[in-house]
Amino acid sequence: MIDQFRKIIVSLLKEKTDLIEDEIDKCIEIPPDSKMGDYAFPCFSLSKTLKKPPNKIASELAEQISPVNPINEIKAIGPYLNFFLDKKIFSEVVLKKISNETDLYGSDAIGTDKTVVIDYSSPNIAKHLAVHHLRSALIGNALYNIYKELGYKCVGINHLGDWGTQFGQLIVAYRKWGEKNLEKYTITDLNKLYVKFHQEAEKDIHLEDEAREWFKKLENGDGEAIALWKRFKDISLLEFQRVYKMLGIQFDAFVGESFYNTMVDDTVLRIQKKGLSCISEQALIIDLERYNMPPCLLRKKDDTTLYATRDIAAAEYRSAEYHFDKMIYVVGSEQKLHFNQVFKVLELMGYDWANNCVHVDFGLMKFKEGRMSTRKGMVVLLEDLLIEAVERIKKIIEEKNPSLKDKEIVANDVGIGAVIFADLSTKRNKDVIFDWDTVLNFEGETGPYVQYTHARLCSILRKYGKAVTSNIDFALLKEDDAINLIKVLWQYPFVLLKSAQFYEPSLISNYLIDVCAKVNKFYNSHRVLSEDDDLTKARILMVNAARQIIKNGLKILGMHAPTEM
Ligand code: ARG
């Protein structure tokens, strides 16, 4: 969507400066305080080319440019040229647009005919979903929703870690110490086998060899190996799906690393033919020293492939299958080197689309007490975390609003939403510090706060009880609190675009906090429902628009918006 107000300002400035539209557009800012105007153009960069102080340029431009509708006033304030909109026209445009487009407000067509592949969550089978798989799932899911809203065709892929030497280890452990009845197995049981394997392998060096043999058998399609591996995978998927269902997250495809087993040979052959690889210590590698990276390992000395080999094959496959315009890997920062290597290899293989691959990395999620760990014994299972969030919210509802209808559903929406929001409101490359009291606080910058604000607005609309109309006198929305709210509502589509550009869902969560703060500020200092019918009608239209934006934004983040709490 194009900001029509901004566009007018850009064209006015273009006439009086030597700058091109794009340059002007990039410079224009929205002053934090409306007293400084609704849009501002900083004159610093012009000052360099014109060799005049920016304050002087600003005042000269203010004299030269005469305001046109819907701009009321153009004023120089220090080095800035500030534009003041006609509030009545502005409010009318914004509120009518939101009320016409409802759920579609924010959607765009810039992605039409373009495909984005998103690789997210991608846990390893036979292990519990780890916290970084949760972060990846939530960020990936939000990016999926964002790009979809912008018109892109999205393909969400769960690149399961279902291949590698560890499955040889698991097979050996199961055959030696496992209970025969695999039917009853859970991931916890599989985990125990891993632990046992590593304990025993310290005493018996042959076990590792045996494990490698079994993985080799697996790569060669041995019946027994395949049957066991399949079962391990099914057991794992059962738990993964349970968690994804709780989170409301879906994938278009669960295509794990094993899927590329039949393709890796050809991939390696192509790499060899290009003369990119060499043998080092009996392994096949690609030397990346020239690019300041350690070598990329393609085959171990026993001929088995590696994580990177399968990622290269997967990228080739996805390019052929989806002809993507962009491929996004949502994976923790600790794999930065891995993706740099993979992207470099793809580039060296001659694929121009290698440039369209992006590693969207993110920081850790830490508990206030320290890093959540599956190794140190302080195991926090994701499923338990989500269940606990719901239980805690249930308790709060029982205390505060015991007569609420659909208590279970609301507790679920708010509990799960609290975890999602906590994750997505932190800038993705920062660590998330998870602390129950903060995450569930209805008055903090949290999911429950945003959902509660939404429910509160719904309750005002229920009290109003009549249909919302945009046939109102827009001049009645004149208080600063009203204008500030309408201004922030107008920004929603642009925040969405920006969050796609920077792969940053936190821009949306923080934006929603801003909307909530502004609508609450209005609500706390002005009466929405009063005896003055016209005023009520106008304020109701604005409240309804705020409700709509909160709902749209929450949906993008993957959260529900309960209408009562
Ligand atoms: N399974 C990997 C892990 O748990 C993440 C996979 C990410 N996706 C990829 N295409 N490498 O660390």
Side-chain angles (χ1 to χ4, degrees):
M1 185 175 118
I2 287 169
D3 181 344
Q4 62 195 78
F5 302 105
R6 218 179 155 101
K7 202 174 158 203
I8 295 170
I9 294 168
V10 171
S11 67
L12 288 175
L13 280 163
K14 192 176 163 240
E15 275 173 40
K16 303 289 177 205
T17 63
D18 283 338
L19 301 173
I20 57 165
E21 281 177 17
D22 259 6
E23 282 175 301
I24 303 172
D25 192 55
K26 267 194 209 116
C27 285
I28 293 179
E29 295 170 10
I30 296 173
D33 180 354
S34 285
K35 289 185 190 67
M36 311 291 283
D38 301 306
Y39 292 87
F41 178 73
C43 298
F44 305 104
S45 59
L46 274 180
S47 148
K48 276 184 211 124
T49 40
L50 298 177
K51 302 203 170 43
K52 274 191 232 173
N55 295 38
K56 191 159 186 320
I57 300 175
S59 51
E60 282 174 8
L61 285 173
E63 268 169 37
Q64 288 164 18
I65 308 177
S66 16
V68 292
N69 221 352
I71 296 163
N72 261 350
E73 194 188 355
I74 302 174
K75 200 161 82 184
I77 305 181
Y80 288 89
L81 186 63
N82 297 49
F83 297 81
F84 294 78
L85 294 176
D86 180 316
K87 303 292 181 290
K88 186 172 166 230
I89 300 179
F90 176 70
S91 304
E92 178 162 1
V93 169
V94 177
L95 296 180
K96 279 195 170 158
K97 192 162 170 72
I98 299 173
S99 110
N100 285 339
E101 297 184 2
T102 59
D103 288 349
L104 289 177
Y105 185 70
S107 65
D108 208 306
I110 55 158
T112 310
D113 296 330
K114 294 200 186 112
T115 300
V116 180
V117 171
I118 310 175
D119 177 323
Y120 55 111
S121 194
S122 308
N124 302 322
I125 65 163
K127 288 194 181 151
H128 291 290
L129 270 172
V131 182
H132 60 272
H133 300 125
L134 170 73
R135 288 216 72 192
S136 169
L138 299 178
I139 296 170
N141 184 54
L143 290 177
Y144 189 104
N145 294 338
I146 291 167
Y147 275 95
K148 201 162 162 224
E149 195 71 359
L150 299 180
Y152 291 85
K153 177 175 187 279
C154 294
V155 184
I157 298 181
N158 194 318
H159 185 78
L160 284 175
D162 61 358
W163 211 245
T165 334
Q166 68 271 33
F167 300 108
Q169 297 170 348
L170 201 57
I171 292 174
V172 169
Y174 173 74
R175 293 180 82 250
K176 284 194 193 299
W177 312 293
E179 306 244 343
K180 288 304 152 233
N181 188 2
L182 253 179
E183 293 305 310
K184 291 209 187 86
Y185 264 58
T186 61
I187 294 188
T188 306
D189 301 314
L190 296 177
N191 255 327
K192 279 190 194 142
L193 284 178
Y194 262 133
V195 174
K196 175 98 176 154
F197 179 90
H198 289 291
Q199 282 167 351
E200 298 294 325
E202 279 184 16
K203 292 178 250 162
D204 177 358
I205 47 163
H206 299 297
L207 276 179
E208 290 284 3
D209 289 333
E210 246 180 88
R212 268 191 287 274
E213 261 164 51
W214 272 99
F215 178 54
K216 195 132 198 244
K217 281 191 190 181
L218 192 60
E219 286 218 318
N220 294 334
D222 173 90
E224 185 185 353
I226 293 277
L228 284 176
W229 167 82
K230 267 214 178 99
R231 190 63 208 139
F232 299 153
K233 189 165 163 172
D234 290 345
I235 293 165
S236 314
L237 277 173
L238 222 59
E239 179 176 313
F240 297 166
Q241 292 285 25
R242 224 168 37 227
V243 177
Y244 292 141
K245 194 165 167 223
M246 287 171 90
L247 292 168
I249 288 183
Q250 285 170 356
F251 298 86
D252 297 305
F254 277 82
V255 187
E257 293 182 39
S258 64
F259 179 75
Y260 305 100
N261 189 36
T262 55
M263 298 169 214
V264 279
D265 287 344
D266 286 343
T267 297
V268 171
L269 219 58
R270 274 189 288 277
I271 294 175
Q272 285 175 314
K273 273 196 189 143
K274 289 240 165 205
L276 298 173
S277 57
C278 63
I279 302 283
S280 165
E281 291 170 33
Q282 289 174 286
L284 187 70
I285 64 152
I286 303 179
D287 185 10
L288 296 173
E289 209 186 325
R290 265 202 291 163
Y291 309 100
N292 288 323
M293 284 187 268
C296 176
L297 228 63
L298 292 176
R299 274 194 203 283
K300 292 189 193 168
K301 64 174 183 205
D302 63 2
D303 239 17
T304 51
T305 58
L306 289 110
Y307 181 49
T309 332
R310 296 187 284 276
D311 250 329
I312 298 165
E316 286 187 296
Y317 171 82
R318 291 171 187 172
S319 164
E321 182 75 12
Y322 305 113
H323 307 284
F324 57 77
D325 296 89
K326 201 188 271 289
M327 173 152 63
I328 297 172
Y329 295 87
V330 188
V331 187
S333 311
E334 60 281 358
Q335 292 195 28
K336 196 164 216 122
L337 174 64
H338 166 75
F339 285 105
N340 283 341
Q341 290 176 312
V342 168
F343 298 165
K344 183 47 90 183
V345 172
L346 292 170
E347 186 193 311
L348 294 172
M349 289 174 83
Y351 296 125
D352 49 5
W353 49 260
N355 279 327
N356 305 333
C357 298
V358 200
H359 175 206
V360 168
D361 60 346
F362 53 83
L364 302 170
M365 190 188 238
K366 294 172 173 169
F367 253 171
K368 218 179 164 190
E369 302 89 65
R371 181 177 173 158
M372 290 201 239
S373 166
T374 44
R375 260 171 255 138
K376 284 182 214 142
M378 200 189 75
V379 186
V380 181
L381 295 187
L382 265 194
E383 204 169 357
D384 297 343
L385 183 90
L386 297 175
I387 292 170
E388 183 165 352
V390 174
E391 287 305 321
R392 283 179 185 243
I393 292 290
K394 232 181 246 169
K395 262 198 211 123
I396 299 178
I397 294 178
E398 281 306 341
E399 268 166 37
K400 291 196 174 167
N401 191 3
S403 59
L404 178 72
K405 58 176 196 262
D406 299 327
K407 264 189 277 194
E408 296 281 320
I409 299 176
V410 174
N412 208 62
D413 289 350
V414 179
I416 304 285
V419 176
I420 298 179
F421 199 89
D423 190 316
L424 294 182
S425 53
T426 309
K427 226 173 155 218
R428 75 174 150 76
N429 55 19
K430 292 242 172 74
D431 293 346
V432 176
I433 310 293
F434 194 94
D435 165 34
W436 283 117
D437 293 337
T438 319
V439 168
L440 301 180
N441 185 353
F442 279 62
E443 274 141 39
E445 300 191 342
T446 62
Y449 166 69
V450 177
Q451 287 170 319
Y452 183 68
T453 305
H454 176 268
R456 198 174 181 190
L457 300 182
C458 290
S459 134
I460 300 174
L461 289 158
R462 277 194 299 274
K463 238 188 236 154
Y464 177 63
K466 284 176 262 182
V468 181
T469 168
S470 49
N471 187 9
I472 61 150
D473 178 1
F474 288 90
L476 295 174
L477 298 169
K478 57 179 187 300
E479 301 83 5
D480 281 350
D481 288 340
I483 297 298
N484 287 337
L485 172 61
I486 297 169
K487 274 174 72 170
V488 72
L489 297 180
W490 178 240
Q491 288 307 315
Y492 177 66
F494 314 116
V495 173
L496 218 52
L497 283 164
K498 200 164 161 194
S499 67
Q501 188 189 350
F502 294 103
Y503 315 106
E504 192 61 85
S506 70
L507 290 173
I508 299 173
S509 12
N510 292 316
Y511 166 81
L512 289 179
I513 295 286
D514 196 19
V515 172
C516 290
K518 299 237 155 70
V519 76
N520 283 323
K521 182 148 191 280
F522 182 87
Y523 175 84
N524 291 334
S525 24
H526 309 275
R527 284 177 56 199
V528 177
L529 305 175
S530 67
E531 288 76 50
D532 184 337
D533 278 351
D534 287 338
L535 188 62
T536 302
K537 261 204 304 194
R539 289 179 174 176
I540 277 291
L541 179 68
M542 181 177 71
V543 161
N544 189 44
R547 174 203 60 79
Q548 183 73 57
I549 301 290
I550 298 175
K551 178 174 170 231
N552 293 8
L554 286 176
K555 187 163 166 237
I556 295 281
L557 297 179
M559 291 166 64
H560 290 277
T563 54
E564 247 176 286
M565 265 167 78

